[in-house]
Amino acid sequence: MVDYHAANNQSSAGGQQTYMEQENDWDRDLLLDPAWEKQQRKTFTAWCNSHLRKAGTQIENIEEDFRDGLKLMLLLEVISGERLPKPERGKMRVHKINNVNKALDFIASKGVKLVSIGAEEIVDGNSKMTLGMIWTIILRFAIQDISVEETSAKEGLLLWCQRKTAPYKNVNVQNFHISWKDGLAFNALIHRHRPELIDYDKLRKDDPVTNLNNAFEVAEKYLDIPKMLDAEDIVGTLRPDEKAIMTYVSCFYHAFSGAQKAETAANRICKVLAVNQENEHLMEDYEKLASDLLEWIRRTIPWLENKTPEKTMAQMQEKLEEFRDYRRCHKPPKVQEKCQLEINFNTLQTKLRLSNRPAFMPSEGRMVSDINGAWHTLEGAEKGYEEWLLNEIRRLERLDHLAEKFRQKAAIHESWTNGKEALLTEDFMTASLSEVKALLRKHEAFESDLAAHQDRVEQIAAIAQELNELEYFDSPTVNARCQKICDLWDVLGALTQNRRESLERTERLLESIDLLYLEYAKRAAPFNNWMEGAMEDLQDMFIVHNIEEIQHLISAHEQFKSTLAEADRERGAIEGIKNEAQKIAENNGIQLTQTNPYTTITQQSIDTKWNKVQELVPQRDKALQGELTKQMSNDHLRRQFATEANVVGPWIQNKMEEIGRISIEMHGTLEDQLTHLRQYEQSIIDYKPRIDKLEVDHQLIQEALIFDNTYTAYTMEHIRVGWEQLLTTIARTINEIENQILTRDAKGISQEQLHEYRASFNHFDKDHSGALQAEEFKACLISLGYDVENDKQGDAEFARIMGIVDPNNCGAVTFQAFIDFMSRETTDTDTADQVIASFKILAGDKNFITAEELRRELPPDQAEYCIARMAPYQGPDGIPGALDYMSFSTALYGESDL
């Protein structure tokens, strides 16, 4: 059955003119020939019924059955496949006119100009107007779409008949009337497409009735083409009606073209479905990979943002090791997944573009930009977590040092203050004058000692304050001990002041003092304090981070050792005072007591502390030298890391720059470029052991708690980021070449064209960003000959082109989009007329072309090829040396004997 439901509902201005010309063939100003009118009525009635039977109805009288407009509207709905406005069911004339008008309006909406046909004439049963209207419908819905080699509908149908019947003897189709009278043309059409239905060799030209009846019966039985005419209608007239024959023949055309269209449609659907299935699979893969990566990022970020401090260095070291394990084992596979995700997305978008499908829009929150944003957040959290870890380690190290220093100083001070409160509360009222004087001098020495210990108390309080500020976990214990020391210090100060006042009141009653003992006490006390300070300094813990700091401590220690000789002389002088007092007593027979009444510091205690200082000096030397060795080792680690980093860092930077140059200055075929890039990628991957070695060096530095390196500006973070960017960049560049190969193969673009496109694109890509901004792209189009200058017409053309290459209004044109546009613009249909039109443009719209113009516009070898083969131009408007490009172009396609 002929299917008119898919009739084209659009019409061009040229098409409307054709309909009008064909419609005017039916002359409404002349009466139809009775025989022709009979043929038209019979043919048109059969044609209408062939469609109305699809709706379960038919007509008997073409003038009467269309008068109420109902079956006319039904006929139009069947053949157009569209719904018309709801008809009016009334029996009055006005209802019929309204229904017919709805049908006529629908016909007019399809680009058909109805001349002199009104609803009243149809309602009145005007035969001439009714037949004219049906012929207009047949033209529009049955014949209009027939086009062979861009001819009009009538000429196309005639040309189709001529080509199909050309191999048959005694058949010469020149028109749609007398060429069909003998019936052979109808039988030839059937035999050409369905040879099993017709025994063509048995047909005789002198028996037209038999021929016609045979064709009509076979068509009705096997081809579902209703019998529209009787053989006698055609044979019995001198000239059969052209419109009736055209209507009948159009049914044959549609019957035979339907099978080919169905097969073509099925193949197209299969191809479309295959592309869609592949694209849907890629989309599903992208969605799953994106979802998994985002879920991993979502789980990882809270772990990196958890900055709960630990109390001990060992616990923080455990956290640092967990972070290193994340960097080494967990993150690298995710970096590869992210790179693969971007490659899959770009490949999918390229395939969708090449198959004219809409761009893929991932689910909300799974765009490449969303993943990049989540990745950026992850790296920010990662950097912050690493900085926090290192700062916490420094803080705990500082806290441990300060806590130990506090305990040492507190222990020394508590040892000194032990018994001082009892000493200051001793009863001296029964003492003799000499004893009181001695007690007073002793108290002066104690005050001197007390003042000397003031600095230590202030240091203890300052250390406790710093521990509180650094949030030391055992601050309550430190604060309690510090408070106890300060309270006792205040008590000692008050007792000291009270005892001095009491001694001074008693001093007026007492006399006599041994100046030598007093001198001894005065000199022994500060010397004793000096030794205690020296012992404290020699046992003081230290923390340094570089060679300069330890060398500074060594220098200070050497300076201290240089004062030992003078200190030894002072010790001898103090001992001399004691010996002098004993000598005077012995010379004058004075009986000395066993202890110095002015001080508790004995020569034995001085000697013991002096010996202790002598023991601590070499121990301090050893400790400082050990730390110097450690710092030298740390300095070696710094230099070792810096040496490697100063090579790897510039190497990565150079490779990034080389990739940029390669992507711009690529030579050879795309396959050669792809092979070269993959080899280049492998050379980069082969460099990975250098990165791994640098990671090992970096781990040694962190394990040694080295926090700075003055020998290089590169950190491991810089190297990691640079390495990841390098791998991602080479992968993207390879993906771009693969997409170019897809585009080339899909569009049929030559390698030379691709090189030309790349050269033009790179010339205007001034910043080498891989994309042209709007003004750069406009300049590029102007250089290629596009009329997009700064005027109203040029702006409109440029806006149209930008809508093609930048549908998302990003303001930039990628090289892939540029190739897609240029391939669409430059892909030719490769016909002689196209080549002639191209030569005419080169010739400046002349009918000939010169050798000079060919050499100016074409490559040298192609220009010489044309010059050697083009015949001289023979036209009256020719000039000396004019060449005939028209005959040359037709000869290229075998259309002349050039």
Side-chain angles (χ1 to χ4, degrees), residues 70-82:
L70 295 177
K71 289 189 177 180
L72 178 59
M73 294 178 70
L74 181 61
L75 174 66
L76 291 173
E77 287 185 345
V78 171
I79 63 177
S80 68
E82 300 181 21

Side-chain angles (χ1 to χ4, degrees), residues 38 45-46 75 102 156 181 190 219 251 374 411 460 486 501 675 697 809 866:
K38 178 183 178 182
T45 299
L75 174 66
K102 290 177 182 179
K181 285 188 67 174
I190 296 173
C251 293
I460 291 171
C486 292
E501 291 174 357
T675 301
D697 294 342
N809 295 322
C866 294

Side-chain angles (χ1 to χ4, degrees), residues 98-223:
N98 289 340
N99 288 338
V100 173
N101 274 328
K102 290 177 182 179
L104 296 179
D105 290 342
F106 178 78
I107 296 172
S109 70
K110 298 304 178 182
V112 179
K113 184 176 180 182
L114 298 171
V115 180
S116 301
I117 297 178
E120 293 82 359
E121 297 167 314
I122 304 301
V123 173
D124 292 339
N126 187 311
S127 175
K128 179 177 66 172
M129 294 302 173
T130 302
L131 292 175
M133 178 189 65
I134 298 302
W135 172 242
T136 301
I137 293 173
I138 293 172
L139 279 176
R140 172 60 182 86
F141 293 100
I143 301 177
Q144 168 211 328
D145 294 332
I146 300 174
S147 177
V148 180
E149 296 185 358
E150 300 181 357
T151 60
S152 67
K154 178 180 177 180
E155 293 172 349
L157 184 60
L158 183 62
L159 181 58
W160 178 79
C161 294
Q162 291 172 342
R163 290 186 173 179
K164 296 299 181 180
T165 61
Y168 295 90
K169 61 183 180 179
N170 298 325
V171 178
N172 182 18
V173 178
Q174 297 297 326
N175 48 52
F176 286 107
H177 36 79
I178 60 175
S179 295
W180 303 84
K181 285 188 67 174
D182 57 12
L184 292 178
F186 284 107
N187 284 276
L189 285 177
I190 296 173
H191 184 267
R192 181 65 182 271
H193 294 90
R194 298 286 300 276
E196 75 278 6
L197 300 180
I198 297 288
D199 188 354
Y200 187 83
D201 294 333
K202 292 183 178 181
L203 300 178
R204 302 198 320 273
K205 188 174 181 65
D206 58 356
D207 190 4
V209 174
T210 300
N211 296 341
L212 289 168
N213 284 330
N214 181 66
F216 294 164
E217 290 170 0
V218 169
E220 184 174 29
K221 183 177 181 180
Y222 296 103
L223 303 179

Side-chain angles (χ1 to χ4, degrees), residues 115-386:
V115 180
S116 301
I117 297 178
E120 293 82 359
E121 297 167 314
I122 304 301
V123 173
D124 292 339
N126 187 311
S127 175
K128 179 177 66 172
M129 294 302 173
T130 302
L131 292 175
M133 178 189 65
I134 298 302
W135 172 242
T136 301
I137 293 173
I138 293 172
L139 279 176
R140 172 60 182 86
F141 293 100
I143 301 177
Q144 168 211 328
D145 294 332
I146 300 174
S147 177
V148 180
E149 296 185 358
E150 300 181 357
T151 60
S152 67
K154 178 180 177 180
E155 293 172 349
L157 184 60
L158 183 62
L159 181 58
W160 178 79
C161 294
Q162 291 172 342
R163 290 186 173 179
K164 296 299 181 180
T165 61
Y168 295 90
K169 61 183 180 179
N170 298 325
V171 178
N172 182 18
V173 178
Q174 297 297 326
N175 48 52
F176 286 107
H177 36 79
I178 60 175
S179 295
W180 303 84
K181 285 188 67 174
D182 57 12
L184 292 178
F186 284 107
N187 284 276
L189 285 177
I190 296 173
H191 184 267
R192 181 65 182 271
H193 294 90
R194 298 286 300 276
E196 75 278 6
L197 300 180
I198 297 288
D199 188 354
Y200 187 83
D201 294 333
K202 292 183 178 181
L203 300 178
R204 302 198 320 273
K205 188 174 181 65
D206 58 356
D207 190 4
V209 174
T210 300
N211 296 341
L212 289 168
N213 284 330
N214 181 66
F216 294 164
E217 290 170 0
V218 169
E220 184 174 29
K221 183 177 181 180
Y222 296 103
L223 303 179
D224 199 28
I225 299 175
K227 188 173 182 181
M228 298 182 180
L229 291 171
D230 293 327
E232 292 76 12
D233 295 334
I234 298 176
V235 176
T237 59
L238 182 62
R239 184 174 182 269
D241 181 63
E242 184 178 49
K243 299 175 182 61
I245 298 298
M246 283 182 64
T247 302
Y248 214 152
V249 172
S250 69
C251 293
F252 283 87
Y253 172 85
H254 288 293
F256 294 131
S257 63
Q260 181 178 358
K261 290 179 180 179
E263 181 180 357
T264 302
N267 292 336
R268 180 175 297 138
I269 290 172
C270 291
K271 182 178 180 181
V272 169
L273 292 178
V275 172
N276 278 3
Q277 288 171 338
E278 180 183 2
N279 292 339
E280 287 174 0
H281 178 68
L282 291 175
M283 293 175 189
E284 292 171 358
D285 288 347
Y286 173 88
E287 289 284 349
K288 184 179 185 306
L289 190 57
S291 178
D292 292 346
L293 183 58
L294 287 171
E295 177 61 20
W296 177 82
I297 293 173
R298 185 191 66 78
R299 294 195 312 269
T300 304
I301 288 178
W303 175 69
L304 293 173
E305 291 178 343
N306 180 16
K307 298 178 182 178
T308 304
E310 301 293 345
K311 293 181 179 180
T312 64
M313 177 73 76
Q315 291 172 324
M316 289 306 298
Q317 289 285 2
E318 183 178 351
K319 280 197 171 185
L320 180 61
E321 186 59 34
E322 289 177 359
F323 181 72
R324 289 172 181 158
D325 185 67
Y326 157 79
R327 275 274 181 79
R328 290 191 301 264
C329 303
H330 299 289
K331 186 182 177 185
K334 299 303 177 182
V335 173
Q336 182 62 32
E337 288 180 15
K338 177 176 175 291
C339 177
Q340 188 62 45
L341 190 69
E342 294 180 3
I343 291 174
N344 291 352
F345 182 82
N346 292 335
T347 301
L348 174 59
Q349 297 293 40
T350 298
K351 289 186 176 182
L352 289 173
R353 261 196 324 272
L354 295 177
S355 60
N356 293 322
R357 301 302 195 279
F360 170 53
M361 291 297 293
S363 301
E364 184 176 359
R366 296 178 183 175
M367 296 286 290
V368 172
S369 60
D370 296 326
I371 294 172
N372 287 334
W375 190 265
H376 180 73
T377 302
L378 174 72
E379 291 186 330
E382 179 181 322
K383 181 179 180 182
Y385 187 74
E386 183 179 25

Side-chain angles (χ1 to χ4, degrees), residues 529-799:
N529 287 334
W530 175 86
M531 285 193 297
E532 289 180 349
M535 287 189 294
E536 182 179 344
D537 291 339
L538 289 171
Q539 297 178 86
D540 187 23
M541 294 180 63
F542 56 84
I543 178 170
V544 295
H545 298 94
N546 52 55
I547 293 178
E548 288 76 17
E549 291 179 1
I550 188 62
Q551 287 177 343
H552 176 73
L553 289 179
I554 292 173
S555 176
H557 183 62
E558 293 297 325
Q559 185 178 358
F560 167 77
K561 289 196 296 184
S562 68
T563 64
L564 290 178
E566 181 180 354
D568 191 43
R569 288 192 295 270
E570 178 65 9
R571 185 187 64 81
I574 293 172
E575 186 178 6
I577 293 173
K578 174 180 171 292
N579 294 337
E580 180 66 22
Q582 290 177 346
K583 181 179 179 181
I584 293 173
E586 291 173 358
N587 291 341
N588 294 278
I590 299 174
Q591 196 66 35
L592 298 177
T593 62
Q594 292 300 317
T595 59
N596 191 324
Y598 306 117
T599 181
T600 60
I601 301 173
T602 66
Q603 187 62 43
Q604 182 181 358
S605 68
I606 290 176
D607 292 339
T608 300
K609 291 179 181 179
W610 177 256
N611 292 334
K612 182 66 176 177
V613 169
Q614 295 297 315
E615 292 175 4
L616 292 174
V617 168
Q619 293 177 8
R620 184 73 168 182
D621 285 333
K622 183 178 179 181
L624 290 173
Q625 289 301 320
E627 184 63 27
L628 178 61
T629 302
K630 174 186 174 182
Q631 290 302 323
M632 292 178 68
S633 174
N634 290 351
D635 195 68
H636 172 71
L637 291 177
R638 289 189 183 95
R639 292 177 182 273
Q640 179 176 299
F641 176 87
T643 300
E644 190 69 16
N646 289 336
V647 173
V648 173
W651 182 87
I652 292 176
Q653 184 176 356
N654 291 337
K655 291 299 180 182
M656 290 289 289
E657 294 172 356
E658 289 176 11
I659 292 173
R661 290 195 298 270
I662 290 173
S663 64
I664 294 174
E665 303 173 356
M666 288 184 171
H667 304 290
T669 66
L670 290 176
E671 285 74 13
D672 293 340
Q673 296 173 17
L674 185 59
T675 301
H676 175 64
L677 281 173
R678 285 178 173 157
Q679 293 172 351
Y680 198 84
E681 181 185 36
Q682 187 59 45
S683 70
I684 292 174
I685 295 173
D686 293 339
Y687 201 77
K688 183 65 165 56
R690 298 287 294 272
I691 305 297
D692 295 338
K693 181 181 182 303
L694 205 57
E695 286 283 6
V696 172
D697 294 342
H698 178 64
Q699 182 173 349
L700 292 175
I701 284 178
Q702 287 196 325
E703 290 174 349
L705 299 180
I706 299 172
F707 304 110
D708 57 354
N709 193 339
T710 59
Y711 299 110
T712 180
Y714 294 98
T715 66
M716 197 61 225
E717 183 64 24
H718 294 153
I719 299 298
R720 292 191 194 104
V721 171
W723 178 253
E724 293 171 1
Q725 290 178 348
L726 180 61
L727 293 177
T728 302
T729 300
I730 188 63
R732 286 175 177 165
T733 305
I734 291 174
N735 180 246
E736 180 183 344
I737 297 300
E738 291 173 341
N739 288 340
Q740 289 181 27
I741 292 174
L742 287 175
T743 302
R744 181 198 65 190
D745 295 340
K747 301 295 185 178
I749 303 173
S750 68
Q751 188 67 36
E752 291 74 19
Q753 286 177 305
L754 280 176
H755 279 303
E756 181 181 357
Y757 295 159
R758 170 59 78 178
S760 299
F761 187 91
N762 290 344
H763 176 75
F764 291 95
D765 185 13
K766 303 299 184 182
D767 58 356
H768 306 297
S769 64
L772 296 180
Q773 300 301 314
E775 290 302 317
E776 294 176 338
F777 180 60
K778 188 173 186 179
C780 182
L781 290 176
I782 293 174
S783 71
L784 293 173
Y786 285 83
D787 185 15
V788 291
E789 297 291 345
N790 293 324
D791 53 36
K792 185 174 182 180
Q793 182 177 355
D795 291 342
E797 176 63 7
F798 182 70

